[in-house]
């Protein structure tokens, strides 16, 4: 908010011309302020949302973070049987894919005996065990006897052993194992760059192979009520809902699971879905690495079997996560960009920063609510981590630049009316620019150009403007040099004050010096203008006024108002009647009064004022004290006789002054008053006061 000092170019009431706002310029300003911020926030948001290379920065963490802090939900329907290092040692099996499969047959037999709901092998059985073929037979018989075994297969591409787009065929188990199973499906995932599996995959990437299903889909179909798992729903977008950190799904080593013991008591597998597969750090020779990260882990890997079990549980409970559609996310990003890009620049940097701290909390709270309660996630960190910061940065940058430009313009504007020292103080103290006023004793100066109407008629408008500009260059310098504040410029008139907004103990002396410099500089100015000579009339007064910023919260003027301001204006006008240059009241005389050449001008009652005011002339351009002493003393004596109603003596005295100073205006004024008053009956208490009928 700026400090405005009125600069109306006409006499009369203190009004302000209304300036029409250029619509195109206003629109351009609004676009620069709000359009740029909104565009930046929207573009950055879309870039972070759509770019594959930038996705790990904010999109993937939007999925990961809500898992942290969410209560762990340990499932009870699934048990993992782990082929781990200790099992290799305890069962004396080789560290390759040539285990005696009779061990798996023994495990399946126990599952059959205890009534497991299903047994899912996340292992490859593509080749026979050439050293122990009887084990293969035992395993096949156990599968047939159980009737609820699901086997895995690999979905292979033409150039890789890892399932990816462009897969050409399925690598499944041998027919002797496939024939008796309840079902089989591919066990491939499509992990993201950080090795976290986020999306379910229940149909192959190649649409030509949609007759195949995932192993976990087949397992869920086996244990779910008929009609629950519809084949046409396999391609539905589903996102992993991890139930907790690694180990949340219970697991036991295979060597302990083969027989009942303290770790696996009787009935341990009853009514459970059992997943069988390798543990982390235990890989058969030639087997691809099957380890992944989860949102709960950064450096710790979990076996693929645990990811498979999680995917199965999501299908079983129908509690997988969903994500906003691409169109919805695009609209959310656009809306957030517009909201924050337009909203933040409307506020000052401190307020905008506060909003930028609160807004992420609100967005985060919404994201966590949707994730925890509705199992919905969306890339909320794009808004929190990119759009809000870029909108705040633009807001601070724009408002800081705007404030800098405004301060520079304000400094230039104030420099026309204030001294450099006052300008710097006002800029450093914003409180001086706030609406409001207070009572303050100030010294007031009013000035105008004598006969300005006549001068304006002699000059064309361009010449008149040039003359005024040159005149103001001369006179305003007098105010600035004495640290005065120019409150108003009205046509040819100047209104200035001292002792506000900055306190000045010597404000009366500064005002008097300014008045003297006015007359001196105008005299020098007249010497440069040739035949056109200007006369400046000045009124000086010191008194209490209300000073401050007056107006609305959007636009106000720094001004001084009150009866004492009007009195100073009346003094300036009285110069015309007395033929003087500078008039002042007694309150305006500085303590160093002996430094000034003064003479009393009498008592006057100004129009609109009840009391008479003693008026004093500051004598300028008339010589030294010694040179003017004779006529000043003669005038003082004549004025005294005038106040005592000795009009004959007063008349003689004023005529004596005119003999000493032929152009003395006050003497001429009082001679007219003497002539008029002789015809009136004056009150007994009359003491020489003159009532003025004009302002």
């Amino acid at each position: 908010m700026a400090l405005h000092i009125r600069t109306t170019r006409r006499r009369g009431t203190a009004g302000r011309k209304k300036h029409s706002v250029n619509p195109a310029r206003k629109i351009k300003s609004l676009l620069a302020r709000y359009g740029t911020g909104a565009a930046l926030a929207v573009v950055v948001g879309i870039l972070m949302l759509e770019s594959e290379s930038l996705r790990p920065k904010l999109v993937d963490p939007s999925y990961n973070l809500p898992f942290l802090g969410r209560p762990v939900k340990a499932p009870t329907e699934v048990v993992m049987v782990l082929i781990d290092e200790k099992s290799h040692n305890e069962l004396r099996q080789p560290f390759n894919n040539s285990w005696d499969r009779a061990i798996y047959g023994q495990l399946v037999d126990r599952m059959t005996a205890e009534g497991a709901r299903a047994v899912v092998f996340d292992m490859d059985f593509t080749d026979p065990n050439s050293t122990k073929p009887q084990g293969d037979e035992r395993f096949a018989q156990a599968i047939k006897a159980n009737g609820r075994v699901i086997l895995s297969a690999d979905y292979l591409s033409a150039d890789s052993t890892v399932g990816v787009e462009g897969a050409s065929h399925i690598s499944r188990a041998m027919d002797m194992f496939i024939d008796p199973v309840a079902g089989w499906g591919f066990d491939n995932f499509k992990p993201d760059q950080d090795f976290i599996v986020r999306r379910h995959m229940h149909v192959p990437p190649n649409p030509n192979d949609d007759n195949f299903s995932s192993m976990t889909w087949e397992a869920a179909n086996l244990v779910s009520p008929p009609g629950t798992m519809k084949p046409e729903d396999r391609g539905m977008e589903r996102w992993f809902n991890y139930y907790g950190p690694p180990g949340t799904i219970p697991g036991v080593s295979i060597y302990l699971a083969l027989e009942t013991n303290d770790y696996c008591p009787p009935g341990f597998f009853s009514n459970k879905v059992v997943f069988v597969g390798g543990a982390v750090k235990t890989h058969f020779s030639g087997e691809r690495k099957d380890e992944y990260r989860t949102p709960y882990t950064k450096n710790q890997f979990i076996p693929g079997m645990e990811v498979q079990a999680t995917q199965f549980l999501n299908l079983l409970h129908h509690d997988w996560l969903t994500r906003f559609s691409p169109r919805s996310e695009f609209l959310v990003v656009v809306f957030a960009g517009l909201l924050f890009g337009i909203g933040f620049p409307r506020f000052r940097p401190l307020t905008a920063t506060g909003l930028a701290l609160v807004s992420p909390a609100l967005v985060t709270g919404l994201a966590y609510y949707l994730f925890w309660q509705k199992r919905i996630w969306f890339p909320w960190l794009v808004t929190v981590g990119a759009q809000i910061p870029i909108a705040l940065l633009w807001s601070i940058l724009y408002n800081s630049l705007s404030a800098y430009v405004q301060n520079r313009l304000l400094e230039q504007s104030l420099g026309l009316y204030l001294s450099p020292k006052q300008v710097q103080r006002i800029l450093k103290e914003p409180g001086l620019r706030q609406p409001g006023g207070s009572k303050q004793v100030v010294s007031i100066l009013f000035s105008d150009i004598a006969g300005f109407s006549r001068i304006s008629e002699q000059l064309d408008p361009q010449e008149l403007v040039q003359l005024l500009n040159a005149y103001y260059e001369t006179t305003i310098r007098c105010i600035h040099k004495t640290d005065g504040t120019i409150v108003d410029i009205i046509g040819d008139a100047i209104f200035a004050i001292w002792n506000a907004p900055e306190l000045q103990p010597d404000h009366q002396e500064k005002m008097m010096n300014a008045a003297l410099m006015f007359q001196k500089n105008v005299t020098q100015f007249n010497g440069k203008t040739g035949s056109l000579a200007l006369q400046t009339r000045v009124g000086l007064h010191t008194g209490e006024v209300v000073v401050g910023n007056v107006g609305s919260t959007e636009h106000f003027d720094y001004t001084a108002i009150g009866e004492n301001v009007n009195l100073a204006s009346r003094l300036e006008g009285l110069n015309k009647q007395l033929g003087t240059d500078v008039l002042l009241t007694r309150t305006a005389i500085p303590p160093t009064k002996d430094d000034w050449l003064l003479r009393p001008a009498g008592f006057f009652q100004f129009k609109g004022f009840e009391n008479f005011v003693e008026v004093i002339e500051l004598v300028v351009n008339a010589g030294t004290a010694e040179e003017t002493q004779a006529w000043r003393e003669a005038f003082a004596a004549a004025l005294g006789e005038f106040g005592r109603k000795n009009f004959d003596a007063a008349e003689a005295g004023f005529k004596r002054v005119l003999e000493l100073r032929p152009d003395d205006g006050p003497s001429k004024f009082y001679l007219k008053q003497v002539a008029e008053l002789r015809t009136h009956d004056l009150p007994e208490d009359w003491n020489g006061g003159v009532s003025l009928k004009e302002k």
Side-chain angles (χ1 to χ4, degrees), residues 627-694:
E627 293 171 344
T628 62
Q629 182 176 0
W631 63 261
R632 287 189 293 111
E633 290 179 352
F635 180 85
L639 188 61
E641 297 296 340
F642 179 80
R644 291 187 290 271
K645 304 179 187 178
N646 296 328
F647 295 132
D648 291 339
E651 183 179 30
F654 291 130
K655 288 181 179 180
R656 173 57 182 164
V657 174
L658 290 175
E659 291 175 1
L660 298 172
R661 192 188 188 206
D663 294 329
D664 188 59
S667 296
K668 294 178 180 179
F669 173 82
Y670 278 107
L671 284 173
K672 293 179 181 179
Q673 293 296 315
V674 168
E676 182 179 350
L677 292 176
R678 278 177 172 155
T679 63
H680 292 77
D681 292 329
L682 299 175
E684 289 294 330
D685 59 351
W686 185 82
N687 61 353
V690 178
S691 296
L692 300 174
K693 299 178 181 179
E694 298 179 359

